[in-house]
Amino acid sequence: MSWKDEIEQLRKRQALAKGMGGPEKLKRQREAGRLNVRERLDLLLDSGSFREVGSITGRAEYDDAGNLIDFTPANCLFGRGKIEGRTIAVVADDFTVRGGAADAAIIEKQIQAEKMAGELRLPLIRLIEGTGGGGSVKSILDMGATYIPFNPGWDQVVANLERVPVVSLLLGPVAGLGAARAVSSHYSVMVKGSSQMFIAGPPVVAGIGEQVTKEELGGADLQLAAGAVDDAYASEADAMAAAKWFLSYLPNSIHDLPERRETTESPGRRDPALGDIVPRDKRYAYDMHQILRSVTDEGSLFEMGRNFGQSVITAFARLDGWPVAVLASNPKVYGGGWTAEAAQKITRFVDLAETFRLPVVHLVDVPGFVIGTRAERAGTLRHGARALSAIYQASVPWCTIVIRKAFGVAGAAMMDHTRFRYRYAWPSGDWGSLPLEGGVEAAFKAALAGADDPDAMKDDLNRQMKSFSSPFKTAERFWAEEIINPAETREKLTEFANLAAPLREPRTKAPRYRP
């Protein structure tokens, strides 16, 4: 007896499934400038490495004799594949089948994809296009009833944030539960011009009197500025390349450690140009990115979230091949001052480093919190205190380089000062409870008001204060541990990275991570 007929039936179903939503829907996808789901998997994964799970899942129709007459595949594909030889889990929406709506889905596929990533300890990439939620209005007619909403598999989505790296690529219009999945990631990327994200799309929003296009409602520029997604790129290929780059710094799970990569660069390479980069006039900014590129391994700086909380830079990089998390002030925006948005960005980034055991390098030039009524309305203090808590709760190795300013509560957030202070300062260091500019007027207000020559008294006080603010006088009291030649910064950081490497241990208990 042979099972030839059944094997043929299997092949027939697999072929029908690979037809996705059919020629007309596939044509429409191409005309919209977007790849179909299987083209995306081919682009993302090493050639021939995809192993699909649930390859013939879908809705079949049979004649009275039990013969298959039609088949619509589920709008969700998942399985495992390889990226540069590294096994990952991947789950992908098929927009050509009912526009990604859940009334065409077998929701258990998405749930199993999340479970596979978590239980097999594999990084997860979600390719999202559509709603992926409770279905369309049409599904209510099909079911004959409505239901109390719930988020299927959300326990697994939340759990994966604390156990494996999760990346979401938004590759078309994304709404509802699909949008919630997108932002519930460690790294999320949109494609400019062809992907949008919103709570509800334009037809629904029209019900509250707003007439907007998809791009106006949830285009990349809007979502980047809001901090809802991390990055956006010009093409799907570029977005996938960013996802691969991001994952290259992280372990497969919290039970593993980030890997070192071979490098031919000298760990002690010096850059004399750094000695001239910080202007003597504190009113002028400089390029912190230039410093970061100089001190890290060549080509290794991977910045994320550059459009949100822009007074702070968050990036991954390598030092002598070791992956590290880089936190840095951006003096070109608010002088490096902390806004509410910057504080939110810091909290999430420090939690990411803590989750996956990446040592943190912090380059500091912080004049304090940004002040004014706008800052107060934004809840800057509350968000700043949360960021400060994240820094003090972190247990990963931490190295701070004070480049220039460090003032007030935000300046004090350069590190947890109760730990061993692995810290260096440049000769351009300028610190205190508040900047001298304006501080003299506040501290000596009554005396200045009663002085015969207030301007002369203020000038004299400023001269005295300036003489006391020398970083060398701070170092003499061991309030600054070590002042270094800026050219030596890379050497100091690579020493830190090598000292920190043996201290990193896989987690036994996952920290709390929230998107």
Side-chain angles (χ1 to χ4, degrees):
M1 178 181 290
S2 169
W3 294 94
K4 181 179 178 181
D5 290 344
E6 285 79 5
I7 293 171
E8 192 58 39
Q9 282 292 315
L10 172 62
R11 289 174 178 163
K12 179 180 179 180
R13 284 166 167 78
Q14 289 174 332
L16 289 170
K18 288 183 178 178
M20 295 167 277
E24 185 61 34
K25 296 290 182 64
L26 290 170
K27 179 183 177 184
R28 192 179 305 171
Q29 186 82 352
R30 282 194 303 274
E31 290 174 346
R34 302 195 297 269
L35 301 176
N36 67 55
V37 66
R38 294 192 179 274
E39 289 172 335
R40 287 170 177 163
L41 292 171
D42 288 342
L43 183 62
L44 176 68
L45 302 172
D46 295 352
S47 179
S49 70
F50 183 53
R51 299 294 179 265
E52 187 174 354
V53 179
S55 63
I56 61 169
T57 306
R59 299 176 187 271
E61 293 182 26
Y62 299 90
D63 62 19
D64 293 339
N67 298 310
L68 181 70
I69 57 174
D70 196 15
F71 179 80
T72 301
N75 70 342
C76 170
L77 279 73
F78 90 98
R80 62 191 181 278
K82 293 182 182 293
I83 292 177
E84 296 179 357
R86 177 187 185 185
T87 301
I88 64 137
V90 61
V91 57
D93 296 337
D94 184 353
F95 194 74
T96 68
V97 180
R98 288 286 301 144
D103 52 0
I106 308 296
I107 194 60
E108 187 63 23
K109 292 186 78 173
Q110 284 189 0
I111 296 171
Q112 286 299 308
E114 299 284 339
K115 288 181 177 179
M116 178 174 70
E119 294 183 22
L120 298 183
R121 301 178 180 178
L122 300 174
L124 175 64
I125 296 181
R126 304 185 186 117
L127 307 182
I128 304 177
E129 184 179 13
T131 63
S136 63
V137 173
K138 179 179 180 298
S139 65
I140 298 174
L141 299 175
D142 294 339
M143 291 184 293
T146 59
Y147 59 86
I148 297 174
F150 66 100
N151 295 336
W154 208 252
D155 58 324
Q156 297 300 315
V157 171
V158 171
N160 276 340
L161 290 173
E162 299 174 352
R163 57 191 183 188
V164 297
V166 180
V167 175
S168 289
L169 301 181
L170 293 77
L171 303 175
V174 176
L177 187 59
R181 289 170 60 223
V183 300
S184 297
S185 312
H186 299 115
Y187 183 60
S188 54
V189 186
M190 295 179 71
V191 178
K192 295 177 183 179
S194 65
S195 67
Q196 302 85 27
M197 182 178 76
F198 18 69
I199 301 165
V204 180
V205 170
I208 63 169
E210 286 191 50
Q211 302 295 328
V212 290
T213 65
K214 288 188 293 185
E215 196 66 21
E216 291 169 337
L217 182 61
D221 289 343
L222 184 151
Q223 298 296 3
L224 288 171
V229 296
D230 297 302
D231 281 324
Y233 287 88
S235 69
E236 294 189 23
D238 289 343
M240 291 180 189
K244 295 176 185 181
W245 197 3
F246 174 84
L247 287 177
S248 71
Y249 295 94
L250 296 178
N252 283 352
S253 77
I254 63 167
H255 303 283
D256 304 307
L257 292 176
E259 291 186 356
R260 183 185 192 184
R261 291 199 170 181
E262 291 298 322
T263 177
T264 58
E265 281 193 88
S266 167
R269 170 173 48 78
R270 296 189 176 190
D271 184 358
L274 295 184
D276 300 320
I277 196 169
V278 178
R280 283 192 172 273
D281 189 332
K282 290 179 283 190
R283 295 173 299 174
Y284 292 94
Y286 55 91
D287 188 354
M288 181 64 80
H289 290 90
Q290 181 181 341
I291 297 175
L292 295 177
R293 288 190 295 270
S294 172
V295 301
T296 57
D297 291 358
E298 185 177 359
S300 72
L301 188 68
F302 176 76
E303 184 179 357
M304 62 200 82
R306 71 182 66 224
N307 295 88
F308 178 72
Q310 293 178 315
S311 61
V312 170
I313 299 165
T314 51
F316 290 155
R318 292 185 182 274
L319 293 167
D320 198 23
W322 295 107
V324 295
V326 177
L327 186 61
S329 307
N330 184 1
K332 290 186 175 182
V333 180
Y334 292 116
W338 280 20
T339 62
E341 292 85 357
Q344 293 172 55
K345 181 176 177 178
I346 291 166
T347 301
R348 184 166 173 252
F349 185 71
V350 171
D351 287 348
L352 176 62
E354 179 72 6
T355 299
F356 295 107
R357 313 305 294 157
L358 285 175
V360 175
V361 170
H362 190 184
L363 278 67
V364 177
D365 187 352
V366 182
F369 291 121
V370 170
I371 59 175
T373 55
R374 182 178 178 184
E376 301 297 346
R377 284 195 296 267
T380 301
L381 281 170
R382 170 74 68 183
H383 293 297
R386 284 175 60 85
L388 191 60
S389 296
I391 290 169
Y392 271 72
Q393 289 167 347
S395 63
V396 292
W398 194 287
C399 178
T400 296
I401 308 288
V402 183
I403 304 294
R404 185 163 61 177
K405 296 178 183 178
F407 289 99
V409 175
M414 65 178 70
M415 67 191 317
D416 175 358
H417 78 284
T418 67
R419 298 172 64 184
F420 170 64
R421 292 189 294 275
Y422 203 116
R423 178 169 61 185
Y424 298 100
W426 283 15
S428 47
D430 181 28
W431 38 64
S433 59
L434 74 168
L436 293 182
E437 297 80 2
V440 167
E441 288 89 337
F444 298 95
K445 182 178 180 181
L448 287 167
D452 294 334
D453 189 344
D455 289 338
M457 182 180 180
K458 185 169 70 173
D459 289 343
D460 184 56
L461 287 169
N462 277 327
R463 278 193 297 271
Q464 292 182 54
M465 299 294 275
K466 188 173 183 179
S467 71
F468 297 149
S469 67
S470 164
F472 300 109
K473 291 192 175 182
T474 307
E476 287 164 6
R477 300 197 178 199
F478 197 57
W479 293 344
E481 290 73 31
E482 192 69 23
I483 297 176
I484 62 170
N485 178 349
E488 301 171 359
T489 303
R490 172 174 166 80
E491 178 183 349
K492 303 302 184 187
L493 289 178
T494 54
E495 286 176 355
F496 163 73
N498 282 286
L499 281 171
L503 305 179
R504 299 178 304 168
E505 296 177 349
R507 301 203 70 96
T508 55
K509 181 181 179 181
R512 288 298 179 201
Y513 184 95
R514 297 178 181 89

